Amino acid sequence: MKLQSWVEVPENSDFTIYNIPFGIIQYGELPPRAAVAIGNYAVDLSVLFEKGYFDNDLLDVNYFDSYILNPFIGLGKETTSKVRLHIQNLLSTNENRLKEDQDTREKAFIPLEEVNMQIPIFIPNYTDFYSSIEHATNVGTMFRDPDNALLPNWKHIPVGYHGRSSSIVPSGVPLHRPKGQQVIGDSTTPVFGPSRLVDFELEMAFITNTNTQLGNAIHVNDAEDYIFGMVLFNDWSARDIQKWEYVPLGPFLAKNFGSSISPWVVTLDALEPFRVESPKQDPEVLPYLQYEGKRNFDIQLQVAIQPENQEETVVCKSNFKYMYWNMSQQLAHHTVNGCNIEIGDVYASGTISGKTPDSYGSMLELSWRGTKPLKMKDGSERKFINDFDTVIMRGHCEKDDIRIGFGEVKSQLLPAKD
């Protein structure tokens, strides 16, 4: 059914009536609270609750008067989906109550440029997967045997590792160039200093809505019941530190210095019209990873680099639909051993690369280990990310005149601290 909103929504807005993403805003002298975005406005849900727009059959407590979304997300998919539909109806031309309530609108509708976006959730745990076959093949080709780019387990399990949740920051928060050990050239002796090869990784992440008990597993076909929504995710990497440290246990200092998350959480409900088939998995996966239905999503992604005080240059156009392992498989594998999950956990996809060079989701691939520098609009070149560069990631879905988007995650790299 075609929906329209009485709120003015600019053409090509990410935040249409079909979206209704949730986030945490702060404005004026008020403490942070939950909101949704539509058009150029953030709608303060705490104000709507106080004004009686959520009856007791829907919500009996103001879960929106919170600096994190966890209390609301933890109500579970059945409740949060009903609340989203209720908000969507309030903002649609089907319902005039809020439209005609000028006093409430003046209090609740805040221009986006006047709000400070906060990190939307408290993140107890963070897992990073490695689920793009194109990315894994490119990296394997560069660093190992091109004829055996994928390790033997790659097509059998969604490879992942546990990351550092405390260093995940919201869009707009800068990060400093990390320091660590690295080996230069053919040397086998490490030196210590700032990373010379800082990189972005274009990823998306899903957020879970439930606490499970240790020992319980989530079935692959039930996994989406445990997922509230998705965000854009920049998993910053220091490639020279990573190369030295990743054997035998994997990434450590090369990754834990920071990751950046977009502030608006787009629900799986909003993504429903954009489902697509996943890439064919060959060989056939084990039964606990075999799923029913379409479990991937057509999400168009873009990365731009903006040198300080200069125009941005788009360096990558990719798509989430390329993911070999989908979110349901990732969560099923993550818990099949009895690992418990928590409300607000973040699970990143791994770098999202396509088949063409302009769709590679990292500078490591785009510049092919620095051998093919990228030219910026200001005439400068990039092999990796320079100090004071800002990396901007965007994502949206579009089909049959329906558009929803994630906004952007934007982060500047500052010089290493003394």
Side-chain angles (χ1 to χ4, degrees):
M1 183 177 70
K2 186 73 173 175
L3 294 175
Q4 287 186 313
S5 175
W6 49 263
V7 181
E8 183 179 354
V9 178
E11 187 177 3
N12 293 326
S13 171
D14 281 353
F15 306 132
T16 64
I17 187 68
Y18 296 99
N19 196 345
I20 316 297
F22 290 82
I24 296 294
I25 63 171
Q26 191 280 320
Y27 63 97
E29 297 183 359
L30 295 172
R33 66 266 313 282
V36 295
I38 184 162
N40 291 328
Y41 293 94
V43 183
D44 186 333
L45 297 178
S46 184
V47 170
L48 294 191
F49 184 92
E50 292 166 357
K51 293 290 187 177
Y53 280 90
F54 296 93
D55 57 42
N56 290 336
D57 291 337
L58 196 60
L59 290 176
D60 57 358
V61 173
N62 188 356
Y63 293 97
F64 307 124
D65 185 16
S66 173
Y67 71 98
I68 50 176
L69 289 173
N70 298 50
F72 173 66
I73 291 174
L75 295 173
K77 197 73 163 285
E78 183 177 354
T79 298
T80 57
S81 293
K82 288 179 181 177
V83 169
R84 175 184 168 274
L85 287 175
H86 178 68
I87 297 168
Q88 189 178 56
N89 189 55
L90 288 173
L91 298 172
S92 76
T93 52
N94 299 327
E95 171 64 63
N96 290 326
R97 179 184 168 197
L98 181 57
K99 177 184 178 182
E100 296 172 355
D101 185 351
Q102 184 175 351
D103 179 65
T104 298
R105 285 194 290 108
E106 288 179 352
K107 290 182 173 65
F109 282 70
I110 316 299
L112 286 173
E113 65 265 20
E114 296 181 15
V115 303
N116 295 312
M117 298 304 302
Q118 310 294 300
I119 195 161
I121 48 174
F122 170 73
I123 305 171
N125 307 285
Y126 158 49
T127 298
D128 189 30
F129 286 97
Y130 188 53
S131 292
S132 162
I133 193 168
E134 288 82 9
H135 173 67
T137 300
N138 287 339
V139 173
T141 298
M142 277 187 263
F143 289 101
R144 291 192 301 274
D145 177 4
D147 295 326
N148 295 284
L150 297 178
L151 291 172
N153 65 355
W154 200 92
K155 286 189 173 183
H156 295 275
I157 60 173
V159 175
Y161 73 95
H162 294 290
R164 183 75 180 178
S165 59
S166 66
S167 55
I168 298 176
V169 298
S171 179
V173 174
L175 291 169
H176 288 269
R177 182 176 296 273
K179 297 177 182 178
Q181 292 189 26
Q182 54 218 264
V183 292
I184 298 175
D186 296 328
S187 174
T188 57
T189 302
V191 296
F192 176 82
S195 168
R196 298 170 296 111
L197 308 179
V198 174
D199 199 357
F200 67 79
E201 291 195 14
L202 171 61
E203 305 195 18
M204 299 200 69
F206 67 86
I207 297 166
T208 47
N209 61 9
T210 306
N211 296 329
T212 61
Q213 291 185 342
L214 192 65
N216 290 353
I218 295 173
H219 191 279
V220 65
N221 287 323
D222 298 330
E224 289 185 2
D225 293 338
Y226 296 82
I227 299 173
F228 174 72
M230 298 183 69
V231 292
L232 299 169
F233 197 84
N234 182 356
D235 184 28
W236 292 89
S237 298
R239 298 301 186 184
D240 40 6
I241 297 173
Q242 183 178 3
K243 181 182 178 182
W244 175 242
E245 75 179 2
Y246 85 102
V247 178
L249 288 181
F252 188 36
L253 302 188
K255 299 279 192 176
N256 69 8
F257 67 94
S259 300
S260 303
I261 190 172
S262 58
W264 293 107
V265 185
V266 176
T267 64
L268 287 196
D269 297 321
L271 290 166
E272 189 66 33
F274 307 99
R275 287 185 181 273
V276 292
E277 299 282 356
S278 299
K280 179 177 173 56
Q281 295 182 328
D282 183 25
E284 184 177 69
V285 298
L286 291 173
Y288 79 94
L289 291 170
Q290 295 173 9
Y291 60 92
E292 299 173 358
K294 296 178 180 179
R295 297 280 173 157
N296 212 336
F297 297 91
D298 182 1
I299 304 172
Q300 300 176 47
L301 300 168
Q302 179 190 97
V303 184
I305 297 173
Q306 183 179 18
E308 188 176 28
N309 300 321
Q310 298 294 327
E311 188 179 355
E312 69 176 54
T313 301
V314 173
V315 297
C316 166
K317 292 182 178 180
S318 192
N319 197 301
F320 186 69
K321 69 182 180 182
Y322 300 142
M323 302 305 293
Y324 187 88
W325 296 102
N326 60 53
M327 293 183 290
S328 294
Q329 292 177 308
Q330 289 170 342
L331 193 54
H333 181 68
H334 199 304
T335 62
V336 73
N337 66 341
C339 175
N340 59 316
I341 67 170
E342 297 186 73
I343 298 165
D345 282 354
V346 166
Y347 306 77
S349 60
T351 303
I352 304 165
S353 294
K355 296 182 183 300
T356 59
D358 63 343
S359 67
Y360 295 164
S362 67
M363 291 297 288
L364 177 68
E365 298 164 272
L366 289 166
S367 72
W368 207 255
R369 295 183 71 182
T371 62
K372 301 176 181 179
L374 303 184
K375 180 151 290 196
M376 301 290 104
K377 287 184 177 179
D378 66 357
S380 62
E381 291 186 338
R382 293 294 183 280
K383 298 179 180 179
F384 290 90
I385 305 302
N386 288 357
D387 287 346
F388 302 109
D389 282 350
T390 296
V391 176
I392 308 164
M393 296 179 176
R394 303 181 179 98
H396 76 276
C397 309
E398 196 161 7
K399 178 183 178 183
D400 299 332
D401 296 324
I402 296 175
R403 179 185 168 111
I404 68 168
F406 293 78
E408 62 183 27
V409 56
K410 186 175 184 177
S411 333
Q412 186 180 41
L413 181 67
L414 299 179
K417 286 192 173 184
D418 293 335

PDB file of all heavy atoms in Angstrom, residues 172-185:
ATOM      1  N   GLY A 172      30.772  11.121  13.577  1.00  0.00           N
ATOM      2  CA  GLY A 172      31.175  12.460  13.968  1.00  0.00           C
ATOM      3  C   GLY A 172      32.298  12.502  14.969  1.00  0.00           C
ATOM      4  O   GLY A 172      32.927  13.552  15.152  1.00  0.00           O
ATOM      5  N   VAL A 173      32.562  11.396  15.641  1.00  0.00           N
ATOM      6  CA  VAL A 173      33.646  11.352  16.626  1.00  0.00           C
ATOM      7  C   VAL A 173      34.942  10.973  15.914  1.00  0.00           C
ATOM      8  O   VAL A 173      35.029   9.908  15.293  1.00  0.00           O
ATOM      9  CB  VAL A 173      33.340  10.341  17.746  1.00  0.00           C
ATOM     10  CG1 VAL A 173      34.538  10.202  18.682  1.00  0.00           C
ATOM     11  CG2 VAL A 173      32.105  10.762  18.524  1.00  0.00           C
ATOM     12  N   PRO A 174      35.970  11.812  15.962  1.00  0.00           N
ATOM     13  CA  PRO A 174      37.228  11.497  15.279  1.00  0.00           C
ATOM     14  C   PRO A 174      38.015  10.416  16.016  1.00  0.00           C
ATOM     15  O   PRO A 174      37.830  10.197  17.212  1.00  0.00           O
ATOM     16  CB  PRO A 174      37.984  12.831  15.285  1.00  0.00           C
ATOM     17  CG  PRO A 174      37.462  13.543  16.496  1.00  0.00           C
ATOM     18  CD  PRO A 174      36.020  13.127  16.642  1.00  0.00           C
ATOM     19  N   LEU A 175      38.895   9.769  15.288  1.00  0.00           N
ATOM     20  CA  LEU A 175      39.797   8.776  15.873  1.00  0.00           C
ATOM     21  C   LEU A 175      41.233   9.168  15.557  1.00  0.00           C
ATOM     22  O   LEU A 175      41.509   9.796  14.526  1.00  0.00           O
ATOM     23  CB  LEU A 175      39.506   7.381  15.314  1.00  0.00           C
ATOM     24  CG  LEU A 175      38.171   6.757  15.730  1.00  0.00           C
ATOM     25  CD1 LEU A 175      37.895   5.510  14.907  1.00  0.00           C
ATOM     26  CD2 LEU A 175      38.162   6.431  17.209  1.00  0.00           C
ATOM     27  N   HIS A 176      42.145   8.788  16.439  1.00  0.00           N
ATOM     28  CA  HIS A 176      43.561   9.075  16.234  1.00  0.00           C
ATOM     29  C   HIS A 176      44.262   7.900  15.548  1.00  0.00           C
ATOM     30  O   HIS A 176      43.926   6.728  15.789  1.00  0.00           O
ATOM     31  CB  HIS A 176      44.248   9.358  17.569  1.00  0.00           C
ATOM     32  CG  HIS A 176      43.878  10.687  18.159  1.00  0.00           C
ATOM     33  ND1 HIS A 176      44.585  11.836  17.898  1.00  0.00           N
ATOM     34  CD2 HIS A 176      42.856  11.056  18.972  1.00  0.00           C
ATOM     35  CE1 HIS A 176      44.039  12.844  18.534  1.00  0.00           C
ATOM     36  NE2 HIS A 176      42.980  12.404  19.192  1.00  0.00           N
ATOM     37  N   ARG A 177      45.204   8.221  14.711  1.00  0.00           N
ATOM     38  CA  ARG A 177      46.031   7.196  14.066  1.00  0.00           C
ATOM     39  C   ARG A 177      46.662   6.332  15.155  1.00  0.00           C
ATOM     40  O   ARG A 177      47.274   6.847  16.097  1.00  0.00           O
ATOM     41  CB  ARG A 177      47.110   7.863  13.212  1.00  0.00           C
ATOM     42  CG  ARG A 177      48.007   6.895  12.449  1.00  0.00           C
ATOM     43  CD  ARG A 177      48.967   7.652  11.554  1.00  0.00           C
ATOM     44  NE  ARG A 177      48.259   8.389  10.509  1.00  0.00           N
ATOM     45  CZ  ARG A 177      47.911   7.880   9.320  1.00  0.00           C
ATOM     46  NH1 ARG A 177      48.232   6.623   9.022  1.00  0.00           N
ATOM     47  NH2 ARG A 177      47.274   8.618   8.441  1.00  0.00           N
ATOM     48  N   PRO A 178      46.503   5.008  15.051  1.00  0.00           N
ATOM     49  CA  PRO A 178      47.021   4.136  16.106  1.00  0.00           C
ATOM     50  C   PRO A 178      48.527   3.910  15.995  1.00  0.00           C
ATOM     51  O   PRO A 178      49.118   4.062  14.917  1.00  0.00           O
ATOM     52  CB  PRO A 178      46.270   2.828  15.865  1.00  0.00           C
ATOM     53  CG  PRO A 178      46.038   2.811  14.392  1.00  0.00           C
ATOM     54  CD  PRO A 178      45.792   4.257  14.009  1.00  0.00           C
ATOM     55  N   LYS A 179      49.118   3.547  17.106  1.00  0.00           N
ATOM     56  CA  LYS A 179      50.519   3.140  17.150  1.00  0.00           C
ATOM     57  C   LYS A 179      50.597   1.636  17.395  1.00  0.00           C
ATOM     58  O   LYS A 179      49.679   1.040  17.953  1.00  0.00           O
ATOM     59  CB  LYS A 179      51.255   3.866  18.263  1.00  0.00           C
ATOM     60  CG  LYS A 179      51.336   5.373  18.117  1.00  0.00           C
ATOM     61  CD  LYS A 179      52.034   5.967  19.326  1.00  0.00           C
ATOM     62  CE  LYS A 179      52.097   7.473  19.255  1.00  0.00           C
ATOM     63  NZ  LYS A 179      52.745   8.042  20.478  1.00  0.00           N
ATOM     64  N   GLY A 180      51.714   1.054  17.019  1.00  0.00           N
ATOM     65  CA  GLY A 180      51.910  -0.362  17.276  1.00  0.00           C
ATOM     66  C   GLY A 180      53.169  -0.873  16.610  1.00  0.00           C
ATOM     67  O   GLY A 180      53.901  -0.109  15.969  1.00  0.00           O
ATOM     68  N   GLN A 181      53.406  -2.167  16.743  1.00  0.00           N
ATOM     69  CA  GLN A 181      54.551  -2.791  16.089  1.00  0.00           C
ATOM     70  C   GLN A 181      54.220  -3.077  14.630  1.00  0.00           C
ATOM     71  O   GLN A 181      53.091  -3.427  14.281  1.00  0.00           O
ATOM     72  CB  GLN A 181      54.905  -4.102  16.786  1.00  0.00           C
ATOM     73  CG  GLN A 181      55.460  -3.940  18.193  1.00  0.00           C
ATOM     74  CD  GLN A 181      55.984  -5.259  18.735  1.00  0.00           C
ATOM     75  OE1 GLN A 181      56.377  -6.154  17.984  1.00  0.00           O
ATOM     76  NE2 GLN A 181      56.008  -5.371  20.060  1.00  0.00           N
ATOM     77  N   GLN A 182      55.226  -2.960  13.794  1.00  0.00           N
ATOM     78  CA  GLN A 182      55.074  -3.271  12.378  1.00  0.00           C
ATOM     79  C   GLN A 182      56.448  -3.623  11.812  1.00  0.00           C
ATOM     80  O   GLN A 182      57.469  -3.205  12.372  1.00  0.00           O
ATOM     81  CB  GLN A 182      54.461  -2.092  11.621  1.00  0.00           C
ATOM     82  CG  GLN A 182      55.210  -0.792  11.823  1.00  0.00           C
ATOM     83  CD  GLN A 182      54.320   0.415  11.937  1.00  0.00           C
ATOM     84  OE1 GLN A 182      54.134   1.065  10.936  1.00  0.00           O
ATOM     85  NE2 GLN A 182      53.812   0.747  13.102  1.00  0.00           N
ATOM     86  N   VAL A 183      56.459  -4.394  10.753  1.00  0.00           N
ATOM     87  CA  VAL A 183      57.718  -4.681  10.064  1.00  0.00           C
ATOM     88  C   VAL A 183      57.682  -3.977   8.713  1.00  0.00           C
ATOM     89  O   VAL A 183      56.646  -3.912   8.060  1.00  0.00           O
ATOM     90  CB  VAL A 183      57.954  -6.193   9.880  1.00  0.00           C
ATOM     91  CG1 VAL A 183      58.208  -6.862  11.210  1.00  0.00           C
ATOM     92  CG2 VAL A 183      56.778  -6.851   9.179  1.00  0.00           C
ATOM     93  N   ILE A 184      58.802  -3.421   8.316  1.00  0.00           N
ATOM     94  CA  ILE A 184      58.872  -2.630   7.092  1.00  0.00           C
ATOM     95  C   ILE A 184      59.703  -3.368   6.052  1.00  0.00           C
ATOM     96  O   ILE A 184      60.799  -3.857   6.348  1.00  0.00           O
ATOM     97  CB  ILE A 184      59.473  -1.242   7.380  1.00  0.00           C
ATOM     98  CG1 ILE A 184      58.567  -0.483   8.363  1.00  0.00           C
ATOM     99  CG2 ILE A 184      59.642  -0.439   6.088  1.00  0.00           C
ATOM    100  CD1 ILE A 184      59.128   0.849   8.816  1.00  0.00           C
ATOM    101  N   GLY A 185      59.159  -3.470   4.860  1.00  0.00           N
ATOM    102  CA  GLY A 185      59.872  -4.131   3.763  1.00  0.00           C
ATOM    103  C   GLY A 185      60.106  -5.600   4.061  1.00  0.00           C
ATOM    104  O   GLY A 185      59.223  -6.310   4.528  1.00  0.00           O
TER     105      GLY A 185
END
